[in-house]
Structures are given as C-alpha cells and as structure tokens.
Amino acid sequence: MIRIYKFGEVPASEIFARTAPTVDVSAIVSDIIDNVKKRGDGAVLDYCRKFDRAELSSLAVTKEEIDEAVASVAPEFLDILKRAAANIRKFHERQKRNSFIINDEPGVVIGQKIIPVDRAGLYVPGGTAAYPSTVLMDAIPAKIAGVPEVVMVTPPNAEGKINPVILAAASVAGVDRIFKVGGAQAIAALAYGTESIPKVDKIVGPGNAFVAEAKKQVFGRVSIDMIAGPSEILIVADGKNDPAVVAADMLSQAEHDKMASAVLVTDSEELAVKVSAELERQIPLLDRAEIARASVDNNGQIIVAEDLMNAIEISNEIAPEHLELCVDDPFGLLDSVRHAGSVFMGRNCPEALGDYFAGPNHTLPTSGTAKFSSPLGVDDFIKKTQYTYYTAAALDKVAEDVAYFARREGLTGHAESAVIRTHKKAIK
C-alpha cells in the first residue's frame, strides 16, 4: 500500500529512492563490447542466438519485410501513427537552430555553423512490450536536424522477426536502415561498427540495465543522449481533483516497471486518503498489475504539502521526469517550475498524451537530472562549429592585446603567433 506523509516527514532526496536491488553488469557488458569489437557480425549473430534465441542469416531488415509489416498493421493504427508523427514534427521543427554570422567591425567576421551529425543510431527496446512511440520520438528530431543517415537497432523475436508496429513506425518516421539486434551487443555494434552495421556518431534511446551500461562504456567513442533511469511521475494536485483520475495517472507510470516511481503532492489530506484507496481499487484491474503493485508498494508516495507553492518547491527539489499540474490555473504555477523533464498542464492533460501524441518529446531526464538536462530534441543531433576571420588591418589593431593576454598566462608561443604577422614585438 502506498505511503502517505506530511510535508517534512520525508526528505525530498528520498522521494524517488528505489528500494529494489541493482545488479552490477559492467563486467558482462565490457566482455560483450570487446567481443563485438573483435569479431563484428559473428559476435552479434552469436548473441542473437544466445539471448534472443534467433537464428539469423542476416542482421539487416529488408525493404520487403518493412513493406509486409506496414501492410499488416491495422489501417486505423497506421493513421494514428501518422497523426502523432505530424504533431511531433510540428513541435520539433520549432527547435531548429540557425547558423549566424557577425560582421559589425571592419575586417572582422565571426560566426557559427550548425551541422548535423553524419549518422545517428536509435535503440528501440523489444522484450515484453513494443514501443513504436520511441521510434517516432527518436527518429523524427534526427531527420529534422538533417542527419543524412538514421540507423535503428531493435531485438528480434525467436523467429527472427521484428514487431510489425515497430517497422511501421520506422517507415512513418523515415528511418533509413534497420538491424535485428538488441542489448549491449547492439550498442557496441553502433559504437564500433561491424561488417553489416555502420558506426554511428550519436546513440539515443532507452533500454534495460545492459543497454544503459553499454551506453556508459562507449560514451566518448560516440555521443549518447542520456542514461535513462526508471520512469517517474509527480502530480501536484489540489483538493478539487477526482481521486480516480489522479490514481489512474499515477498508475500510468507505475505499470512501466517495478522500479518506476509515482508520487502525489497535494494540499488536501482528504484527496491523499481517497487516492490511496483508488490505487488499491485500480491496481488489480491492470494487465500489468503485478508490476504496478511492486512499483506502488516500493516506490510510490503521497505527500501532503502546506499549500500549492510548497508543492512546487517539493517538485523542484525532486526534479521529476514527468510533472502534472492538476490545478485550476496551471499557467499561474508554470513560472515557478524550475526542474522537470516535461510538464502537463491542467486536469485534462494526462502524461499519456505526451507519451504518444501531443508532440513534445517523451525521452526525458530521470533520477533528478532534470536539474541540468533536457528532453531529447533536435539539438541532440547537431553540432556547432565556430569560425573567425580577421584582415591584416584588423589583426594589427588587436595583436598586442592578444600577446599581452597570452604572456599573462605564461604562453610566449601564443604571444609570438599573434604579433609575428604584424612585425611587432610581443609585449613583455
């Protein structure tokens, strides 16, 4: 049963603390990465046989397989995928940056170029559930950024097939190449390349503990988006809310996995008690009731705050992945929200809207990292190159200043390089 606290009875740092044990998989992952580096496709195929029980002759998904998958998906779901993709494109198009140039001094030009990475790799989980939404959220910003090639990896089933809805989403999102591989071996293949799978410059997408550890270990060889922790939701709600609705929103995250956290912060003790009762009523009705039960019992909490501003203070300290503001005037509170991955405004905006359809990205910072990290977006797939141009006359005006600065740092070579073109002596 979920725990109810009054403000001050539990430190904010403990509110999203997970009680389930964690296992160190670093050594196993390191061995997998080394094997893939050395043996390429051979190692990847062996791991597909071992972990996925799939006997594959080729890792690549063919156009025929994609076409067959798209044709097999219910037309109404394909239409929803396309409408969701349109919303995601509309939102992320606004994130595009422009190169700039500054030429407001005679003989001086400075500027910045925005350049997409050459190739991006998307990891899409398999296992107990298929997540076509992840495909859309990861691939569409990459395409908007102008990435020339977007490569997707996802684990096959025992028959060597990929879930058709995953392939359909990839087709809608414009993914260029798809490979049948999951786990740490997929991350290693993207980071180092194999005979079949090309090396990428950026890897994005969620995964299990092995995938997360592999992303940690290849970081530096390639860029990664983030190390995603278990799902989190924090709901700030006043006493006017329907307890059944609040409980349903909490369970929308609790059903993800046993390590997920669902927290309610309210100024109403009456709502707190009623939501607790609703959770008990609704959990047995879920298809993933066992998972939600463990999540709520181990990681769920309800906190009775002094008032709504106090609730926002608690939320800012926690920096949740998802924040719902279930209040009369959510826009009145928005300016006070400093740390949250994504904010859902008002009583008619369930977090599930953001997962699938509204447009903002659902790949979000977790475990308090929203204090310094941002949702996945177009910026994750671009890099910036700056440039400087000075004419001889422009350099002559500032060379002695540059040399003086350099000598203050003890770098006489820097100083000489600034003045040698001007036939002046470096300032002592």
Side-chain angles (χ1 to χ4, degrees), residues 345-358:
M345 310 282 285
R347 306 188 205 281
N348 303 302
C349 195
E351 183 277 334
L353 267 175
D355 273 349
Y356 302 114
F357 202 76

Side-chain angles (χ1 to χ4, degrees), residues 12 15-16 18 231-237 246 249-254 260-266 301-303 305 308 310-326 337 339-345 349 351:
I15 290 175
F16 277 163
R18 271 71 180 193
S231 296
E232 305 164 352
I233 189 169
L234 188 149
I235 301 173
V236 171
V246 175
D249 285 3
M250 294 176 73
L251 292 176
S252 73
Q253 295 307 293
S261 289
V263 172
L264 166 64
V265 185
T266 178
Q301 297 187 43
I302 298 176
I303 300 170
L308 290 180
N310 178 224
I312 295 297
E313 291 170 4
I314 294 169
S315 176
N316 281 333
E317 182 61 28
I318 295 164
E321 177 188 18
H322 307 100
L323 170 62
E324 288 189 7
L325 299 180
C326 298
V337 174
H339 308 303
S342 194
V343 185
F344 300 85
M345 310 282 285
C349 195
E351 183 277 334

